Amino acid sequence: MSTPELVTVTIDERSVQVPRGTGLVETAAAAGIEIPVFCYEPRLGEAIGACRMCLVEVEGGPPKPQAGCTLTALDGMVVKTARTSEMARVGQNATLEFILVNHPLDCPVCDKGGECPLQDLTFRYGPGNTRMTFEKRTFEKPIPISPAISIDRERCILCYRCTRFSESVSEDNQLVAVNRGAQTMIATFEDEPYTGAFTGNVTELCPVGALLPTQPRFEIRPWEFQAVPSVCGLCPVGCNIDVDQREGKVKRILSRNHPEVDEGWLCDKGRFGFSHLYAEDRITEPLRRVRLRGLEEISWEDALDDAERLLREADRRIAVALSGSETTEEAYALAKLVRVGLGAHTAMLPEETGDGLDAFRLPLAAQGAARRCRDRRDRPRWRRSDLARDDGSGLPQAQERRARRPAPRQRARRPDLVGRRRRRRFPSGRARNRSRLCGQARLRRLLPAGDGERPRRRRSVGRRVGRGSPRARATRAVDRLGR
């Protein structure tokens, strides 16, 4: 493996050697010098220089400040930051003043207050007062874009971290910048809810309080947190996390960068899934089932003793059911316990499903590639797909084909039959028999009552089976006529 070429860069009269192509922000950090940034984040890919907070002066370059995050280290480069360059200092001061023109004074109530980069950089590099006396621009706030995230457009400084994450990392393109110029703002595409498996990362990327989680909202200040490094246990990946707690209760989960494991990202399950710790139906003590009394709490010592007794009484007739979510260490410890300690070697994993079920997981639009589909109603039948079309692109062509079909011909009705009830034609023999029997029943109703007999009561012909069925009543009527 070849050794990277080293170049010498001078930053604020400090010389440092770094590999060629290293970003200027990292080069300055290697020399112990800070270049303030808002939009720059190495995990999001190539720098775009949107916030203009990283302005520096490069000797021999253009006679104006340049965005330091877009520059790379070259041999012999001489760079001056705001510490030694008046041009860079004035540029950074003006950038912060411009950012704060419409930024609200929400620091006392903002959940980002205390860990906000905008607060820290304004204190170190920004102006001491403002020259703007007009009213600030306001928006509706906060707007929930998902069940776990809300957006406050008044605080947004358009660093485009969230949109770059949505475009380059999660690749869902759900967060976009709408409008132009001074009216630009962050929104979801077509105002649809922000959904996905990694949406919570934008709340950690946002350098201000524009995108915040809704869970610990207005509950605690950041300096009251006690961060405890840990590992997420909700899946086998083992992402590194920081558990922020207060008074022994978990209030927030943040990612802890581990490039070899999680690349610094954390899924929504690991970020927002800690609320089960305080669920009312969570089992916190061992329970033992007692006959006629249900479940009762027991001590951990008794529970472990009972478990050991039951496992030993099983005499190797033990099967371990695995869910697939165990970590490597947990699976190894369990296998050693069962194999070495109990002498059992049976384990089960969830069965893998075949590819035949993939079609049932597809969305409705996937029918566009199908010529026929199964219509599972009361009577399952095959029919032509409503979304099928000649070019395979979907519903509009199907509707167009149906519109081109000729209308069904209307049968001309005889003028003398207009207004009269049309006689129903029965298609089956059973229905014909029913018609014949109903006719006999109607004939029976028309017969006059005999001498000394009460007038026969007309009975409705029902579809009951047995003594009162139409067949039985018609048979009795025919017998009376014969007598």
PDB file of all heavy atoms in Angstrom, residues 205-224:
ATOM      1  N   LEU A 205     -28.437  16.601  12.934  1.00  0.00           N
ATOM      2  CA  LEU A 205     -27.633  17.353  11.980  1.00  0.00           C
ATOM      3  C   LEU A 205     -27.935  18.838  12.007  1.00  0.00           C
ATOM      4  O   LEU A 205     -27.049  19.651  11.733  1.00  0.00           O
ATOM      5  CB  LEU A 205     -27.878  16.818  10.562  1.00  0.00           C
ATOM      6  CG  LEU A 205     -27.255  15.471  10.198  1.00  0.00           C
ATOM      7  CD1 LEU A 205     -27.765  15.016   8.845  1.00  0.00           C
ATOM      8  CD2 LEU A 205     -25.743  15.564  10.188  1.00  0.00           C
ATOM      9  N   CYS A 206     -29.147  19.222  12.308  1.00  0.00           N
ATOM     10  CA  CYS A 206     -29.552  20.632  12.256  1.00  0.00           C
ATOM     11  C   CYS A 206     -28.716  21.450  13.242  1.00  0.00           C
ATOM     12  O   CYS A 206     -28.709  21.165  14.444  1.00  0.00           O
ATOM     13  CB  CYS A 206     -31.032  20.759  12.573  1.00  0.00           C
ATOM     14  SG  CYS A 206     -31.655  22.457  12.422  1.00  0.00           S
ATOM     15  N   PRO A 207     -27.998  22.496  12.778  1.00  0.00           N
ATOM     16  CA  PRO A 207     -27.158  23.282  13.694  1.00  0.00           C
ATOM     17  C   PRO A 207     -27.941  24.287  14.532  1.00  0.00           C
ATOM     18  O   PRO A 207     -27.350  24.946  15.397  1.00  0.00           O
ATOM     19  CB  PRO A 207     -26.197  23.987  12.743  1.00  0.00           C
ATOM     20  CG  PRO A 207     -26.979  24.156  11.489  1.00  0.00           C
ATOM     21  CD  PRO A 207     -27.865  22.949  11.395  1.00  0.00           C
ATOM     22  N   VAL A 208     -29.221  24.444  14.267  1.00  0.00           N
ATOM     23  CA  VAL A 208     -30.074  25.340  15.049  1.00  0.00           C
ATOM     24  C   VAL A 208     -31.295  24.552  15.506  1.00  0.00           C
ATOM     25  O   VAL A 208     -31.369  23.351  15.316  1.00  0.00           O
ATOM     26  CB  VAL A 208     -30.480  26.587  14.224  1.00  0.00           C
ATOM     27  CG1 VAL A 208     -29.269  27.458  13.942  1.00  0.00           C
ATOM     28  CG2 VAL A 208     -31.136  26.180  12.919  1.00  0.00           C
ATOM     29  N   GLY A 209     -32.270  25.213  16.084  1.00  0.00           N
ATOM     30  CA  GLY A 209     -33.450  24.522  16.576  1.00  0.00           C
ATOM     31  C   GLY A 209     -34.578  24.450  15.580  1.00  0.00           C
ATOM     32  O   GLY A 209     -35.750  24.504  15.964  1.00  0.00           O
ATOM     33  N   ALA A 210     -34.252  24.321  14.278  1.00  0.00           N
ATOM     34  CA  ALA A 210     -35.300  24.276  13.260  1.00  0.00           C
ATOM     35  C   ALA A 210     -35.964  22.907  13.187  1.00  0.00           C
ATOM     36  O   ALA A 210     -37.172  22.805  12.993  1.00  0.00           O
ATOM     37  CB  ALA A 210     -34.727  24.658  11.900  1.00  0.00           C
ATOM     38  N   LEU A 211     -35.182  21.842  13.312  1.00  0.00           N
ATOM     39  CA  LEU A 211     -35.711  20.481  13.300  1.00  0.00           C
ATOM     40  C   LEU A 211     -35.419  19.858  14.652  1.00  0.00           C
ATOM     41  O   LEU A 211     -34.256  19.637  15.013  1.00  0.00           O
ATOM     42  CB  LEU A 211     -35.068  19.656  12.182  1.00  0.00           C
ATOM     43  CG  LEU A 211     -35.477  20.018  10.757  1.00  0.00           C
ATOM     44  CD1 LEU A 211     -34.552  19.371   9.749  1.00  0.00           C
ATOM     45  CD2 LEU A 211     -36.912  19.618  10.493  1.00  0.00           C
ATOM     46  N   LEU A 212     -36.474  19.586  15.394  1.00  0.00           N
ATOM     47  CA  LEU A 212     -36.313  19.065  16.752  1.00  0.00           C
ATOM     48  C   LEU A 212     -37.226  17.868  16.966  1.00  0.00           C
ATOM     49  O   LEU A 212     -38.329  17.806  16.399  1.00  0.00           O
ATOM     50  CB  LEU A 212     -36.649  20.132  17.795  1.00  0.00           C
ATOM     51  CG  LEU A 212     -35.656  21.292  17.931  1.00  0.00           C
ATOM     52  CD1 LEU A 212     -36.201  22.334  18.897  1.00  0.00           C
ATOM     53  CD2 LEU A 212     -34.306  20.793  18.424  1.00  0.00           C
ATOM     54  N   PRO A 213     -36.803  16.910  17.775  1.00  0.00           N
ATOM     55  CA  PRO A 213     -37.700  15.795  18.114  1.00  0.00           C
ATOM     56  C   PRO A 213     -38.795  16.274  19.051  1.00  0.00           C
ATOM     57  O   PRO A 213     -38.617  17.209  19.836  1.00  0.00           O
ATOM     58  CB  PRO A 213     -36.768  14.779  18.798  1.00  0.00           C
ATOM     59  CG  PRO A 213     -35.644  15.607  19.321  1.00  0.00           C
ATOM     60  CD  PRO A 213     -35.466  16.754  18.373  1.00  0.00           C
ATOM     61  N   THR A 214     -39.936  15.630  18.972  1.00  0.00           N
ATOM     62  CA  THR A 214     -41.084  16.023  19.796  1.00  0.00           C
ATOM     63  C   THR A 214     -41.099  15.333  21.155  1.00  0.00           C
ATOM     64  O   THR A 214     -41.903  15.704  22.009  1.00  0.00           O
ATOM     65  CB  THR A 214     -42.394  15.688  19.051  1.00  0.00           C
ATOM     66  OG1 THR A 214     -42.414  14.282  18.744  1.00  0.00           O
ATOM     67  CG2 THR A 214     -42.489  16.474  17.762  1.00  0.00           C
ATOM     68  N   GLN A 215     -40.241  14.364  21.380  1.00  0.00           N
ATOM     69  CA  GLN A 215     -40.308  13.600  22.639  1.00  0.00           C
ATOM     70  C   GLN A 215     -39.926  14.430  23.867  1.00  0.00           C
ATOM     71  O   GLN A 215     -40.749  14.583  24.766  1.00  0.00           O
ATOM     72  CB  GLN A 215     -39.429  12.351  22.532  1.00  0.00           C
ATOM     73  CG  GLN A 215     -40.129  11.179  21.869  1.00  0.00           C
ATOM     74  CD  GLN A 215     -39.284   9.919  21.892  1.00  0.00           C
ATOM     75  OE1 GLN A 215     -38.072   9.982  22.027  1.00  0.00           O
ATOM     76  NE2 GLN A 215     -39.915   8.779  21.733  1.00  0.00           N
ATOM     77  N   PRO A 216     -38.716  15.013  23.939  1.00  0.00           N
ATOM     78  CA  PRO A 216     -38.402  15.749  25.176  1.00  0.00           C
ATOM     79  C   PRO A 216     -38.715  17.232  25.067  1.00  0.00           C
ATOM     80  O   PRO A 216     -38.069  18.066  25.700  1.00  0.00           O
ATOM     81  CB  PRO A 216     -36.893  15.524  25.320  1.00  0.00           C
ATOM     82  CG  PRO A 216     -36.400  15.478  23.918  1.00  0.00           C
ATOM     83  CD  PRO A 216     -37.530  14.926  23.076  1.00  0.00           C
ATOM     84  N   ARG A 217     -39.689  17.606  24.256  1.00  0.00           N
ATOM     85  CA  ARG A 217     -39.958  19.019  23.989  1.00  0.00           C
ATOM     86  C   ARG A 217     -40.394  19.730  25.271  1.00  0.00           C
ATOM     87  O   ARG A 217     -41.333  19.308  25.952  1.00  0.00           O
ATOM     88  CB  ARG A 217     -41.030  19.144  22.911  1.00  0.00           C
ATOM     89  CG  ARG A 217     -41.217  20.580  22.403  1.00  0.00           C
ATOM     90  CD  ARG A 217     -42.188  20.584  21.235  1.00  0.00           C
ATOM     91  NE  ARG A 217     -42.370  21.927  20.711  1.00  0.00           N
ATOM     92  CZ  ARG A 217     -41.584  22.502  19.818  1.00  0.00           C
ATOM     93  NH1 ARG A 217     -40.560  21.843  19.356  1.00  0.00           N
ATOM     94  NH2 ARG A 217     -41.818  23.726  19.393  1.00  0.00           N
ATOM     95  N   PHE A 218     -39.711  20.836  25.576  1.00  0.00           N
ATOM     96  CA  PHE A 218     -40.015  21.694  26.725  1.00  0.00           C
ATOM     97  C   PHE A 218     -39.944  20.933  28.058  1.00  0.00           C
ATOM     98  O   PHE A 218     -40.619  21.301  29.014  1.00  0.00           O
ATOM     99  CB  PHE A 218     -41.394  22.348  26.586  1.00  0.00           C
ATOM    100  CG  PHE A 218     -41.546  23.180  25.343  1.00  0.00           C
ATOM    101  CD1 PHE A 218     -42.728  23.165  24.626  1.00  0.00           C
ATOM    102  CD2 PHE A 218     -40.514  23.968  24.886  1.00  0.00           C
ATOM    103  CE1 PHE A 218     -42.886  23.934  23.488  1.00  0.00           C
ATOM    104  CE2 PHE A 218     -40.645  24.740  23.747  1.00  0.00           C
ATOM    105  CZ  PHE A 218     -41.839  24.722  23.039  1.00  0.00           C
ATOM    106  N   GLU A 219     -39.172  19.867  28.122  1.00  0.00           N
ATOM    107  CA  GLU A 219     -39.087  19.090  29.355  1.00  0.00           C
ATOM    108  C   GLU A 219     -37.793  19.316  30.121  1.00  0.00           C
ATOM    109  O   GLU A 219     -37.793  19.206  31.352  1.00  0.00           O
ATOM    110  CB  GLU A 219     -39.229  17.589  29.049  1.00  0.00           C
ATOM    111  CG  GLU A 219     -40.609  17.185  28.557  1.00  0.00           C
ATOM    112  CD  GLU A 219     -40.709  15.689  28.348  1.00  0.00           C
ATOM    113  OE1 GLU A 219     -39.732  14.982  28.699  1.00  0.00           O
ATOM    114  OE2 GLU A 219     -41.735  15.220  27.830  1.00  0.00           O
ATOM    115  N   ILE A 220     -36.710  19.636  29.414  1.00  0.00           N
ATOM    116  CA  ILE A 220     -35.406  19.661  30.080  1.00  0.00           C
ATOM    117  C   ILE A 220     -34.461  20.530  29.270  1.00  0.00           C
ATOM    118  O   ILE A 220     -34.655  20.731  28.062  1.00  0.00           O
ATOM    119  CB  ILE A 220     -34.854  18.224  30.212  1.00  0.00           C
ATOM    120  CG1 ILE A 220     -33.708  18.175  31.209  1.00  0.00           C
ATOM    121  CG2 ILE A 220     -34.460  17.677  28.877  1.00  0.00           C
ATOM    122  CD1 ILE A 220     -33.242  16.767  31.503  1.00  0.00           C
ATOM    123  N   ARG A 221     -33.461  21.081  29.940  1.00  0.00           N
ATOM    124  CA  ARG A 221     -32.432  21.859  29.282  1.00  0.00           C
ATOM    125  C   ARG A 221     -31.209  20.968  29.028  1.00  0.00           C
ATOM    126  O   ARG A 221     -30.926  20.041  29.793  1.00  0.00           O
ATOM    127  CB  ARG A 221     -32.028  23.052  30.140  1.00  0.00           C
ATOM    128  CG  ARG A 221     -33.186  23.940  30.539  1.00  0.00           C
ATOM    129  CD  ARG A 221     -33.909  24.487  29.329  1.00  0.00           C
ATOM    130  NE  ARG A 221     -33.103  25.441  28.579  1.00  0.00           N
ATOM    131  CZ  ARG A 221     -33.519  26.054  27.472  1.00  0.00           C
ATOM    132  NH1 ARG A 221     -34.706  25.776  26.973  1.00  0.00           N
ATOM    133  NH2 ARG A 221     -32.734  26.913  26.855  1.00  0.00           N
ATOM    134  N   PRO A 222     -30.464  21.230  27.951  1.00  0.00           N
ATOM    135  CA  PRO A 222     -29.352  20.324  27.606  1.00  0.00           C
ATOM    136  C   PRO A 222     -28.297  20.201  28.686  1.00  0.00           C
ATOM    137  O   PRO A 222     -27.679  19.130  28.823  1.00  0.00           O
ATOM    138  CB  PRO A 222     -28.776  20.959  26.330  1.00  0.00           C
ATOM    139  CG  PRO A 222     -29.913  21.726  25.736  1.00  0.00           C
ATOM    140  CD  PRO A 222     -30.699  22.242  26.897  1.00  0.00           C
ATOM    141  N   TRP A 223     -28.043  21.281  29.464  1.00  0.00           N
ATOM    142  CA  TRP A 223     -26.992  21.173  30.475  1.00  0.00           C
ATOM    143  C   TRP A 223     -27.415  20.330  31.676  1.00  0.00           C
ATOM    144  O   TRP A 223     -26.605  20.046  32.549  1.00  0.00           O
ATOM    145  CB  TRP A 223     -26.570  22.574  30.941  1.00  0.00           C
ATOM    146  CG  TRP A 223     -27.701  23.433  31.413  1.00  0.00           C
ATOM    147  CD1 TRP A 223     -28.283  23.412  32.635  1.00  0.00           C
ATOM    148  CD2 TRP A 223     -28.375  24.441  30.661  1.00  0.00           C
ATOM    149  NE1 TRP A 223     -29.281  24.332  32.713  1.00  0.00           N
ATOM    150  CE2 TRP A 223     -29.367  24.997  31.508  1.00  0.00           C
ATOM    151  CE3 TRP A 223     -28.248  24.943  29.363  1.00  0.00           C
ATOM    152  CZ2 TRP A 223     -30.225  26.017  31.094  1.00  0.00           C
ATOM    153  CZ3 TRP A 223     -29.092  25.950  28.961  1.00  0.00           C
ATOM    154  CH2 TRP A 223     -30.068  26.471  29.816  1.00  0.00           C
ATOM    155  N   GLU A 224     -28.668  19.919  31.720  1.00  0.00           N
ATOM    156  CA  GLU A 224     -29.118  19.045  32.800  1.00  0.00           C
ATOM    157  C   GLU A 224     -28.966  17.562  32.454  1.00  0.00           C
ATOM    158  O   GLU A 224     -29.217  16.710  33.299  1.00  0.00           O
ATOM    159  CB  GLU A 224     -30.580  19.339  33.133  1.00  0.00           C
ATOM    160  CG  GLU A 224     -30.803  20.756  33.653  1.00  0.00           C
ATOM    161  CD  GLU A 224     -32.273  21.055  33.898  1.00  0.00           C
ATOM    162  OE1 GLU A 224     -33.123  20.273  33.439  1.00  0.00           O
ATOM    163  OE2 GLU A 224     -32.558  22.067  34.537  1.00  0.00           O
TER     164      GLU A 224
END
